[in-house]
């Protein structure tokens, strides 16, 4: 049964058309994936469905009747609910209070009836088969659990259409499995799910239909049955990619970095070596210590014991500055927190790490900075209005390319990439893969951390699997498989 | 699409952009225009000189605190540092005891030392800047009273008193000092690596650290620049009132921070300019002066000044 239909939705901002006659028809009991590169108009489209912006043209129908929403509240009354990418929760309140925010059951005297509140919350949790303590404060939960709470909240609002914007971008594999189970449950109850994601394997696993947007235009809707990866990718990027993952033959050289019995807050007794011209992949679940290892090697997390050798020499790396000077470059998984100065320009962000090299003594060399920034923007195909645009206003993929270009200007020999393609579109991913390939052909060493196993398998020469801060397995590329990695990542 | 029709959104954006860039300048020029129409004496060389001399101390302080605020901190100890360094300068400025340079040097050293302590407490001690400098506000006041034994230090040399009272080619020396500091600090912020690092640390401290910037050193330097400039303000003030006054400079930090905020510098760091701060200083000065000329009671002046601070923040929010 048709629950939601959008016809000919168009929208312009400041004279730029960001949505151009977009269609979508969502049926109950189905998962409808919405995909497209960053900037394709997915978020704008969803915001229009939720009544956050008015559409310039076009109509939204709920159960066949045209509707006009003046805000998310209206949309919610018609059964639409959005689980946001960046969660909107009250961290200091309990799970139950978050679920019933604004609709708390009151006692006879007019104050909040905590017992009824918690009982009702528990009932909802049981219906969905979720096990989250309702009396816990929201801030004590993992992001995955918070997301579940948001879904429970939507269910309690009698939602019939659930919009999920990249729900698995920040949660563990285990939590994702719970999410997928809930999605199946909702589907069985005749609800509709609009699922936005960049992850191909999820789409092929979950979706019944796929709608593709590109540059604000409606490209098409396909049923999953009979849909091939190649066709989908060319719909998304508008050009044929021979293969998303392409690995050139590499010729590993001498050992560049060697770590012996490394310990830090999140790393237990890790030993590893990386050769020049080699990509060392690191797999593991969230919290397995992968990021801690990256931070320890790049001077961002204190090493409590163990030894690091670079080119055979023992070195001490006690700050990011020391790591930079020794030729280690890190691209962190959290570019908002560790990678960028959001209010500063693209140019300033690109040259920040290598500013000393590009200035004259203590004085800045503005002309040189401009030249370097222009060159880098072209090399990394960074799409920005100008080099003076604030970097915080770029899309995720372009922000990531700014971080990469800034890092490589320090001329590192060892490049550590922690989830370099998280939350960015396929076009940008492809460019980052090419960049990684170019690093190894130039004899650099790469440590690649990624939760996307197909990506990791395709790009790495060797893979280490981490769990609980330790390296649990090491495998050559041709002997590694997703199943094998997961097996080691999850248990003995 | 009919191209002759103005796009409402575009013109709105343009307006917003204008307001952001030139809002405060426009407000300043309008106020000057209104005041020169209302009061015959306002638009004259003589009155301009008076305004500039009046604002120069607040100006020097405001520029100093701009450095700290851009790097993401705050300094509440300025007023007390003005008093303490003024007393230190005065103690070494009795006629015939030490050369003038010693008086100036000791005051500036005292200022730099206080800034260094502030900076170390913030960086090594990891105490919030608000708390550190709130504490220092009291400590420096106590030091001023201790050094002067609670009494004004008087009987200063003519050469010392000339700094605050004298002028060169009709321009008061405090105004010349203020001007030189404007030029030097704009240069540091816009043309040097330190300037870029100050913005980076204030814009995102973690990213600055991960980029290999010595975040702690940059912060300590910002506090030292701030207190060093406060010492210069302390010298100018002591010289102008020909006294090392331990009770001087009360609440000066608030006027300085107000000027910085009016000038569009973000209290959360990473955004701001010396030009904006100077405009904020002038705006406060012109309004005080104009209201004086119009014989508006100083009670009203306070209310108006406060309203302007809030209005400036509102304009800032519209961004």
């Amino acid at each position: 049964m048709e629950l939601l239909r959008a016809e000919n939705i168009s929208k312009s901002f400041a004279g730029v058309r960001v949505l151009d006659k977009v269609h979508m028809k969502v049926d109950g009991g189905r998962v409808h994936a919405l995909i497209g590169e960053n900037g394709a108009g997915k978020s704008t489209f969803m915001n229009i469905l939720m009544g956050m912006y008015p559409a310039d043209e076009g109509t939204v129908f709920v159960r066949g009747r045209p509707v006009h929403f003046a805000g998310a509240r209206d949309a919610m009354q018609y059964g639409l609910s959005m689980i946001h990418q960046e969660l909107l929760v009250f961290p200091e309140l309990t799970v139950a209070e978050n679920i019933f925010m604004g609709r708390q059951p009151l006692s006879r005297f007019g104050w909040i009836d905590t017992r009824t509140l918690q009982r009702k919350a528990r009932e909802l949790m049981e219906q969905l088969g979720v096990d989250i303590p309702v009396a816990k404060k929201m801030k004590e939960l993992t992001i995955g659990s918070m997301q579940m709470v948001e879904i429970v909240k939507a269910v309690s609002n009698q939602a019939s259409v659930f919009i999920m914007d990249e729900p698995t971008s920040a949660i563990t594999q285990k939590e994702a499995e719970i999410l997928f189970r809930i999605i199946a449950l909702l589907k069985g109850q005749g609800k509709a799910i609009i699922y936005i994601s960049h992850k191909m394997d999820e789409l092929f696993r979950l979706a019944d239909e796929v709608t593709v947007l590109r540059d604000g235009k409606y490209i098409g809707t396909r049923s999953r049955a009979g849909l091939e990866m190649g066709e989908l990718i060319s719909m998304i990027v508008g050009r044929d990619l021979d293969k998303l993952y392409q690995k050139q033959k590499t010729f590993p050289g001498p050992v560049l970095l060697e770590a012996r019995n490394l310990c830090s807050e999140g790393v237990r007794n890790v030993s590893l070596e990386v050769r020049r011209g080699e990509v060392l992949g690191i797999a593991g679940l969230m919290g397995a210590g992968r990021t801690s290892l990256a931070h320890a090697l790049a001077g961002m997390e204190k090493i409590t014991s163990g030894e690091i050798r670079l080119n055979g020499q023992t070195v001490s790396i006690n700050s990011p500055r020391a790591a930079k000077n020794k030729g280690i470059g890190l691209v962190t998984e959290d570019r908002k927190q560790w990678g960028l100065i959001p209010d500063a320009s693209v140019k300033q962000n690109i040259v920040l790490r290598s500013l000393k090299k590009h200035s004259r003594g203590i004085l800045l060399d503005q002309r040189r900075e401009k030249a370097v920034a222009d060159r880098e923007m072209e090399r990394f195909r960074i799409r920005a209005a100008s080099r003076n645009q604030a970097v915080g206003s770029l899309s995720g993929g372009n922000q990531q390319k700014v971080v990469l270009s800034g890092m490589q200007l320090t001329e590192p020999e060892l490049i550590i990439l922690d989830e370099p393609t998280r939350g960015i579109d396929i076009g940008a991913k492809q460019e980052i893969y090419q960049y990684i390939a170019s690093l190894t052909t130039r004899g650099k060493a790469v440590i690649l951390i990624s939760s996307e196993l197909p990506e990791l398998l395709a790009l790495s020469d060797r893979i280490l699997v981490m769990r609980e801060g330790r390296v649990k397995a090491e495998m050559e590329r041709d002997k590694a498989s997703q199943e094998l990695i997961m097996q080691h990542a999850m248990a003995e | 699409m009919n191209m002759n029709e103005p796009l409402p959104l575009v013109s709105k954006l343009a307006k917003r952009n204008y307001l952001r860039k030139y809002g405060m300048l426009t407000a300043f020029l309008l106020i000057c225009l209104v005041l020169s129409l209302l009061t015959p004496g306002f638009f004259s060389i003589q009155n301009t000189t008076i305004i500039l001399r009046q604002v120069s101390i607040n100006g020097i302080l405001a520029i100093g605190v701009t450095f700290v605020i851009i790097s993401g901190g705050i300094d509440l100890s300025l007023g007390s540092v003005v008093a303490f360094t003024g007393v230190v300068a005065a103690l070494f400025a009795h006629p015939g005891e030490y050369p003038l340079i010693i008086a100036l040097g000791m005051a500036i050293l005292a200022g730099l030392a206080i800034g260094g302590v502030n900076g170390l407490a913030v960086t090594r001690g990891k105490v919030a800047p608000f708390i550190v400098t709130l504490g220092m506000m009291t400590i420096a006041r106590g030091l001023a009273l201790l050094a002067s034994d609670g009494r004004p230090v008087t009987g200063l040399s003519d050469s010392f008193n000339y700094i605050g009272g004298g002028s060169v080619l009709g321009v008061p020396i405090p105004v010349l000092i203020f001007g030189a500091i404007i030029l030097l600090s704009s240069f540091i912020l816009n043309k040097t690596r330190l300037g870029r690092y100050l913005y980076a640390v204030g814009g995102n401290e973690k990213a600055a650290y991960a980029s290999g910037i010595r975040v702690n050193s940059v912060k300590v330097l910002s506090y030292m620049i701030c207190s060093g400039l406060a010492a210069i303000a302390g010298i100018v003030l002591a010289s102008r009132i020909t006294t090392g006054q331990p009770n001087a400079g009360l609440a000066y930090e608030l006027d300085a921070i107000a000027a910085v905020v009016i000038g569009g510098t973000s209290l959360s760091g990473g955004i701001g300019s010396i030009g904006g701060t100077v405009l904020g200083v002038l705006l406060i000065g012109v309004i005080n002066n104009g209201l004086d000329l119009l014989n508006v009671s100083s009670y009203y002046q306070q209310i108006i000044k406060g309203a302007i601070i809030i209005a400036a923040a509102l304009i800032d929010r519209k961004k």
Side-chain angles (χ1 to χ4, degrees):
Chain A
M1 192 191 80
E2 174 192 306
L3 288 181
L4 180 72
R5 180 157 48 100
E7 277 185 2
N8 287 317
I9 303 289
S10 294
K11 178 80 187 168
S12 299
F13 288 118
V16 179
R17 211 163 171 85
V18 293
L19 280 182
D20 190 14
K21 298 204 174 65
V22 171
H23 311 274
M24 193 172 197
K25 178 170 161 296
V26 184
D27 293 331
R30 313 281 277 176
V31 175
H32 196 136
L34 178 66
I35 59 177
E37 297 189 88
N38 286 341
K42 292 169 304 201
S43 300
T44 310
F45 185 36
M46 289 303 111
N47 278 321
I48 286 173
L49 289 185
M50 286 303 292
M52 309 293 279
Y53 312 135
D56 295 344
E57 290 166 37
T59 320
V60 178
F61 300 86
V62 173
R63 295 173 199 270
R65 284 170 44 200
V67 290
H68 294 281
F69 299 145
R73 218 186 160 80
D74 284 2
M76 267 147 76
Q77 269 166 1
Y78 277 88
L80 271 60
S81 212
M82 184 151 171
I83 318 300
H84 286 270
Q85 204 173 349
E86 266 142 41
L87 296 167
L88 311 162
V89 299
F90 301 93
E92 293 293 336
L93 298 183
T94 65
V95 169
E97 283 164 332
N98 266 278
I99 292 173
F100 290 101
M101 180 45 70
R103 312 170 280 128
Q104 294 93 338
L106 298 183
S107 73
R108 263 188 304 158
F109 304 104
W111 51 62
I112 293 172
D113 181 352
T114 309
R115 272 176 58 190
T116 314
L117 186 76
Q118 297 194 348
R119 182 174 48 77
K120 282 188 165 181
R122 255 194 306 273
E123 284 167 11
L124 281 165
M125 296 276 181
E126 275 164 24
Q127 278 173 31
L128 288 178
V130 186
D131 185 25
I132 298 170
V134 296
K136 248 193 178 171
K137 277 190 182 172
M138 207 64 177
K139 64 174 181 188
E140 294 165 23
L141 303 186
T142 62
I143 291 181
S145 302
M146 286 190 201
Q147 216 162 29
M148 307 293 169
V149 173
E150 290 276 283
I151 294 172
V152 171
K153 186 174 169 180
V155 170
S156 79
N157 272 327
Q158 316 292 328
S160 55
V161 179
F162 294 74
I163 301 173
M164 302 188 183
D165 190 1
E166 296 203 37
T168 57
S169 64
I171 67 178
T172 64
Q173 193 77 33
K174 214 166 156 188
E175 289 170 326
E177 290 301 329
I178 299 175
L179 176 73
F180 297 158
R181 212 189 60 223
I182 293 177
I183 289 175
L185 197 74
L186 293 172
K187 205 171 128 173
Q189 294 172 356
K191 319 266 190 200
I193 288 112
I194 299 177
Y195 193 88
I196 302 177
S197 175
H198 285 302
K199 297 184 185 168
M200 288 293 155
D201 50 343
E202 283 175 12
L203 297 183
F204 277 91
R205 178 169 166 189
L206 294 173
D208 300 299
E209 281 98 29
V210 180
T211 290
V212 179
L213 300 185
R214 189 200 321 143
D215 298 331
K217 293 197 176 59
Y218 173 79
I219 301 301
T221 301
R222 296 279 186 280
S223 162
R224 185 191 50 189
L227 181 65
E228 282 178 20
M229 176 87 107
E231 186 193 355
L232 189 58
I233 289 173
S234 61
M235 282 171 82
I236 295 169
V237 296
R239 55 185 186 271
D240 279 315
L241 299 177
D242 317 328
K243 231 177 161 193
L244 183 56
Y245 309 115
Q246 212 169 14
K247 172 85 180 167
Q248 284 167 337
K249 205 165 168 50
T250 55
F251 302 96
V255 173
L256 176 68
L257 175 127
E258 198 183 349
R260 285 260 163 272
N261 305 323
L262 211 60
C263 290
S264 75
E265 198 188 323
V267 176
R268 305 265 169 281
N269 221 21
V270 166
S271 298
L272 57 83
E273 53 175 52
V274 203
R275 294 172 175 278
R276 289 182 174 278
E278 178 189 49
V279 177
L280 175 66
I282 297 186
L285 303 177
M286 208 168 272
R290 299 171 304 166
T291 294
S292 274
L293 177 61
H295 281 200
L297 293 175
M300 306 240 305
E301 184 167 310
K302 200 176 166 215
I303 295 168
T304 48
S305 70
E307 188 185 41
I308 296 179
R309 280 192 216 159
L310 264 178
N311 291 315
Q313 305 276 318
T314 304
V315 292
S316 134
I317 298 169
N318 49 19
S319 70
R321 187 182 177 78
K324 184 171 86 174
N325 293 337
K326 294 190 169 69
I328 297 173
L330 169 68
V331 171
T332 56
E333 58 164 350
D334 189 343
R335 59 180 167 266
K336 278 204 180 103
Q337 195 176 177
W338 293 103
L340 295 166
I341 317 279
D343 289 325
S345 66
V346 172
K347 178 193 78 177
Q348 293 192 1
N349 273 286
I350 288 176
V351 286
L352 187 64
R353 286 159 198 252
S354 55
L355 196 59
K356 191 167 183 183
K357 210 167 69 189
H358 296 117
S359 28
R360 288 167 297 183
I362 61 161
L363 298 186
L364 299 175
D365 185 344
Q366 314 257 18
R367 201 178 303 159
R368 185 139 173 234
E369 280 181 40
K370 284 177 193 163
V372 169
D374 286 346
R375 190 190 70 208
E376 292 301 314
M377 285 173 74
E378 203 181 306
R379 175 187 296 175
F380 280 86
R381 279 187 268 167
I382 296 165
R383 279 176 284 271
S386 83
R387 63 171 110 84
N388 297 320
Q389 190 180 347
V391 85
S393 63
L394 298 184
S395 73
N398 283 307
Q399 290 189 357
Q400 188 70 323
K401 289 193 253 175
V402 169
V403 177
L404 279 171
S405 77
M407 182 272 301
Q408 68 92 31
L409 279 175
T410 65
E411 296 177 0
E413 292 301 311
L414 171 67
I415 292 99
I416 305 171
L417 304 169
D418 192 357
E419 302 282 4
T421 63
R422 174 182 291 170
I424 70 177
D425 58 66
I426 286 193
K429 269 185 191 175
Q430 176 77 8
E431 286 169 14
I432 288 173
Y433 296 157
Q434 282 165 2
Y435 169 69
I436 294 174
S438 78
L439 288 173
T440 48
T441 50
R442 282 187 286 140
K444 314 281 185 197
V446 177
I447 294 179
L448 174 68
I449 297 172
S450 175
S451 297
E452 280 191 52
L453 292 182
E455 169 180 298
L456 198 69
L457 283 163
L459 295 171
S460 312
D461 296 293
R462 254 185 323 132
I463 294 174
L464 302 183
V465 185
M466 287 186 75
R467 178 160 47 85
E468 292 162 359
R470 297 170 198 277
V471 172
K472 290 289 178 184
E474 173 171 353
M475 47 192 92
E476 293 296 322
R477 164 183 156 80
D478 43 2
K479 295 191 184 72
S481 69
Q482 296 203 33
E483 292 73 26
L484 198 58
I485 291 174
M486 285 318 290
Q487 208 180 317
H488 286 290
M490 290 168 74
E492 295 296 343
Chain B
M1 197 185 294
N2 182 356
M3 291 311 285
N4 296 326
E5 230 174 301
L7 289 162
L9 193 61
V10 168
S11 67
K12 213 166 158 188
L13 279 177
K15 217 189 275 171
R16 209 175 264 185
N17 213 0
Y18 175 82
L19 203 66
R20 179 196 311 183
K21 270 190 171 154
Y22 304 113
M24 208 38 74
L25 185 63
T26 312
F28 175 70
L29 293 175
L30 274 177
I31 288 168
C32 286
L33 183 72
V34 170
L35 286 175
S36 52
L37 291 176
L38 287 177
T39 56
F42 177 80
F43 200 64
S44 65
I45 290 180
Q46 196 196 1
N47 192 47
T48 307
T49 312
I50 289 173
I51 294 174
L52 288 176
R53 202 218 308 266
Q54 279 172 344
V55 302
S56 52
I57 287 178
N58 187 34
I60 295 167
L61 293 173
I63 287 177
V65 81
T66 302
F67 278 86
V68 172
I69 291 176
I70 283 178
S71 70
I74 190 80
D75 193 341
L76 300 176
S77 65
L78 290 180
S80 302
V81 176
V82 165
F84 175 52
T85 54
V87 166
V88 169
L91 287 173
F92 290 92
H94 296 301
E97 286 184 4
Y98 301 97
L100 179 63
I101 191 76
I102 296 290
L104 307 186
M106 294 305 282
I108 290 172
L109 274 182
L112 292 175
I114 286 179
V117 172
N118 280 339
L120 288 176
V122 168
T123 54
R124 303 276 163 204
K126 299 192 194 317
V127 183
F130 188 96
I131 296 168
V132 168
T133 59
L134 187 68
M136 186 54 80
M137 176 168 118
T138 308
I139 294 173
R141 182 68 62 188
L143 290 173
L145 290 164
L146 198 67
S148 63
D149 208 10
R151 286 187 296 271
V153 182
T154 53
L156 312 183
S157 70
D158 288 345
S159 58
F160 182 78
N161 289 338
Y162 189 73
I163 297 169
S167 42
V168 176
L169 300 171
V171 186
I173 290 177
V175 177
L176 290 175
I177 295 174
F178 179 33
I181 288 171
I182 291 172
L183 294 179
L184 188 65
S185 50
S186 305
F187 182 80
I188 292 175
L189 275 181
N190 297 320
K191 305 280 182 199
T192 68
R193 281 215 323 266
L194 173 63
R196 182 69 59 77
Y197 290 160
L198 284 163
Y199 281 104
V201 169
N204 182 352
E205 187 178 331
K206 286 180 165 176
Y209 173 71
S211 300
I213 295 172
R214 279 188 274 231
V215 171
N216 286 352
S217 311
V218 170
K219 283 187 174 177
V220 171
L221 270 177
S222 77
Y223 285 98
M224 289 178 72
I225 292 172
C226 181
S227 297
L229 289 177
I232 294 179
I235 292 166
V236 171
L237 181 66
S239 157
R240 199 161 91 198
I241 60 178
T242 67
T243 313
Q245 173 58 265
N247 293 313
L250 272 178
Y252 275 22
E253 60 278 346
L254 298 183
D255 267 2
I257 293 167
V260 174
V261 171
I262 291 172
T265 294
S266 160
L267 277 184
S268 45
I271 300 174
S273 69
I274 295 297
T277 295
V278 171
L279 197 58
V281 168
L282 289 177
L283 192 73
I284 293 177
V286 161
I287 286 170
N288 282 343
N289 171 273
L291 295 175
D292 274 344
L293 291 179
L294 290 168
N295 285 324
V296 176
S297 121
S298 67
Y299 304 158
Y300 278 114
Q301 293 193 18
Q302 302 232 15
I303 294 170
I304 292 169
K305 196 160 79 185
I308 289 172
I309 295 169
I310 295 171
L314 281 175
I315 292 176
D316 221 39
R317 264 182 59 101
K318 293 279 185 245
K319 287 173 187 179

